[in-house]
Amino acid sequence: MKLDSKAMRHLTAEDWRVLTAVEIGSKNHEVVPTPLIESISKLRGGAGRVRHSISALAKVGLIARLKEARYDGYRLTYGGLDYLALHTYASQKAVYSVGNQVGVGKESDILVVADESGTQRILKIHRLGRISFRTVKANRDYLRRRQGGSWMYLSRLAAEREYAFMRVLREEGFLVPEPLSQSRHTILMSLVDAFPLRQIAAVPDPAALYAELIALILRLAKHGLIHGDFNEFNILIKEEPIESDSYSEGQKTVPSVKGKEVERPQNSTDPTSTSNTTTSDDAETTPEPRVKITPVLIDFPQMVSMDHTNAEMYFDRDVACVKRFFERRFHFVSTQPGPFFRDAKKTVGKNGARRLDAAVEASGFSKKALKDLEAAIREQQEARGPNGEQDRASTDDEDADNDEEDEEELDGDEDGSEDERGIGYGEQSEEAETSKDDTKEINMSRLAIIDGT
């Protein structure tokens, strides 16, 4: 499901009321009966006006009618949920326009949006279950343990939980995007001018960056948290130019790590490194500016407490992901073992460190809801494959769309609009994948954000 906001301008106030009525009815009905929609929306035009809005909403794919339904009714689609979230942001004057999709993952879509002043922001749309449509029939019993439960419910829960984590992490001084607002299955946050680590071909000092990331894992542990998906997809690298005088001072504060670098090919180049071999003439005419590399952490719905049953497994996996990536990409291998979970466990809450896991748990998430969310996220992570190849979500998304079309029948003739929307976003998605898969030498003075979830 790709967000196409063009139809928003054509929806009337009555259409929004009917769409909201379908959402309200979805809390207790998988398929909301048409008479119930009429009762909740309470339009002045009566049943005739409600059915007119239903037809308009179904034509653009915001609601859908299931095949072989036992009664006349409609269900809310992801597109309808997207529109309701955008409508909320527009009412808050937080979002005025929707731009390009800058990231696509197995569990979310990332778009650039802007407010009325033109300030760009990031809109993250959670889409749990996108890669699970082929197995969702086998998991119907799991979903139906909760009345009205669905992937939309889990996506909403993931957004609420991630927003809560972002707020407490930001308050504690962690470098994360600023959470601005949250609605349904979406999060509105500040735009970070940075590249995901997986796109970075070289850095000036791999040992220093490695030490900083390991220190970040340990700092999270001290506050009672484990990221759970600490890899090159969920770490943004921000470049900040620094003065020559302050560079030497800043270097003293970088944690030290013993390690070794594997020998590189003779013809390899490093566009971001400040120690490349240059001729004396070039050094005199074009001195290369020094930069500070700062990691920014993203993607938090899967975070777990240090008291979690599988905490040691999640902690060790995060550490292993960093080690494996640095060896593969930067040819850097740390000679220091660890860090180890048993040592990190001893630091939890020490020196007055605030337990952020307790702070999020106190924000109203029930154990049952967290159990459902954890199971869903674990299924998504397992579906990525052994290498965590999240960049192939567009192919999975097309398969999911095809499977979803087999289960539902949309009212109205929407073949034309569906094809037109698919072609446009297909081209855009292909461009995004091309840029994400490009691991050649990157000019880090031209940074952008691409979510890796």
Side-chain angles (χ1 to χ4, degrees), residues 116-236:
E116 292 182 344
S117 65
T119 302
Q120 290 188 338
R121 297 169 173 177
I122 287 296
L123 180 66
K124 180 174 183 178
I125 306 175
H126 284 268
R127 300 200 190 281
L128 286 178
R130 168 154 62 189
I131 60 174
S132 303
F133 278 105
R134 289 183 174 178
T135 59
V136 73
K137 292 180 180 179
N139 296 330
R140 293 289 189 186
D141 293 338
Y142 156 69
L143 290 174
R144 285 176 179 170
R145 291 194 193 111
R146 178 188 182 277
Q147 187 177 7
S150 67
W151 289 112
M152 288 186 191
Y153 155 70
L154 294 172
S155 295
R156 180 194 296 260
L157 188 61
E160 292 173 352
R161 184 166 170 81
E162 180 169 25
Y163 183 73
F165 274 124
M166 292 178 71
R167 290 187 63 181
V168 296
L169 288 170
R170 185 86 178 183
E171 291 171 0
E172 206 59 35
F174 284 87
L175 290 178
V176 301
E178 180 184 2
L180 301 174
S181 185
Q182 186 266 325
S183 175
R184 297 171 175 86
H185 63 318
T186 69
I187 301 175
L188 186 66
M189 65 188 79
S190 62
L191 186 149
V192 179
D193 189 18
F195 269 122
L197 181 58
R198 72 179 295 262
Q199 273 193 269
I200 306 301
V203 293
D205 190 349
L209 180 59
Y210 172 85
E212 195 166 356
L213 294 179
I214 293 298
L216 181 55
I217 292 177
L218 293 175
R219 185 185 172 196
L220 286 170
K222 187 175 181 179
H223 289 276
L225 292 176
I226 302 173
H227 187 274
D229 204 12
F230 198 94
N231 56 42
E232 62 270 24
F233 296 93
N234 298 324
I235 301 169
L236 303 180

Side-chain angles (χ1 to χ4, degrees), residues 188-374:
L188 186 66
M189 65 188 79
S190 62
L191 186 149
V192 179
D193 189 18
F195 269 122
L197 181 58
R198 72 179 295 262
Q199 273 193 269
I200 306 301
V203 293
D205 190 349
L209 180 59
Y210 172 85
E212 195 166 356
L213 294 179
I214 293 298
L216 181 55
I217 292 177
L218 293 175
R219 185 185 172 196
L220 286 170
K222 187 175 181 179
H223 289 276
L225 292 176
I226 302 173
H227 187 274
D229 204 12
F230 198 94
N231 56 42
E232 62 270 24
F233 296 93
N234 298 324
I235 301 169
L236 303 180
I237 299 300
K238 186 176 180 180
E239 178 195 51
E240 298 175 324
I242 57 177
E243 300 294 335
S244 300
D245 295 339
S246 61
Y247 179 76
S248 57
E249 298 177 1
Q251 287 294 92
K252 297 178 183 178
T253 63
V254 177
S256 61
V257 166
K258 294 180 181 179
K260 60 181 179 179
E261 291 193 42
V262 180
E263 184 178 354
R264 298 171 183 248
Q266 293 291 336
N267 59 350
S268 64
T269 58
D270 184 354
T272 61
S273 175
T274 58
S275 60
N276 285 344
T277 303
T278 56
T279 63
S280 57
D281 294 338
D282 293 338
E284 294 176 359
T285 56
T286 56
E288 199 165 336
R290 296 185 181 275
V291 296
K292 177 183 178 183
I293 303 300
T294 304
V296 179
L297 196 58
I298 61 173
D299 194 35
F300 309 102
Q302 74 289 326
M303 291 190 85
V304 297
S305 168
M306 285 288 287
D307 297 329
H308 190 276
T309 305
N310 299 319
E312 184 171 2
M313 182 271 292
Y314 287 123
F315 182 89
D316 292 343
R317 187 175 67 181
D318 282 356
V319 173
C321 283
V322 176
K323 290 178 177 289
R324 183 169 55 249
F325 177 78
F326 269 73
E327 181 178 0
R328 183 178 71 247
R329 178 62 56 82
F330 303 132
H331 309 286
F332 174 83
V333 179
S334 174
T335 57
Q336 291 183 345
F340 300 105
F341 175 78
R342 63 177 180 272
D343 298 325
K345 181 73 172 177
K346 298 175 183 178
T347 68
V348 177
K350 295 295 183 181
N351 301 324
R354 180 187 175 195
R355 289 292 299 263
L356 300 184
D357 54 340
V360 172
E361 184 177 354
S363 60
F365 293 98
S366 66
K367 292 183 179 180
K368 176 64 170 63
L370 294 181
K371 184 177 179 181
D372 288 349
L373 178 60
E374 183 181 342

Side-chain angles (χ1 to χ4, degrees), residues 15 18 48-61 63 74 410-414:
D15 295 337
V18 171
R49 186 63 186 87
V50 172
R51 292 185 179 275
H52 181 272
S53 291
I54 286 176
S55 178
L57 295 172
K59 188 173 183 180
V60 292
I63 59 176
Y74 294 83
L410 302 181
D411 258 9
D413 181 14
E414 46 184 315

Side-chain angles (χ1 to χ4, degrees), residues 40-79:
I40 297 175
S41 58
K42 297 179 180 179
L43 296 186
R44 290 184 178 180
R49 186 63 186 87
V50 172
R51 292 185 179 275
H52 181 272
S53 291
I54 286 176
S55 178
L57 295 172
K59 188 173 183 180
V60 292
L62 305 185
I63 59 176
R65 172 185 287 169
L66 293 183
K67 288 183 177 180
E68 301 177 358
R70 291 177 297 176
Y71 53 86
D72 183 37
Y74 294 83
R75 72 170 186 84
L76 186 68
T77 67
Y78 258 127

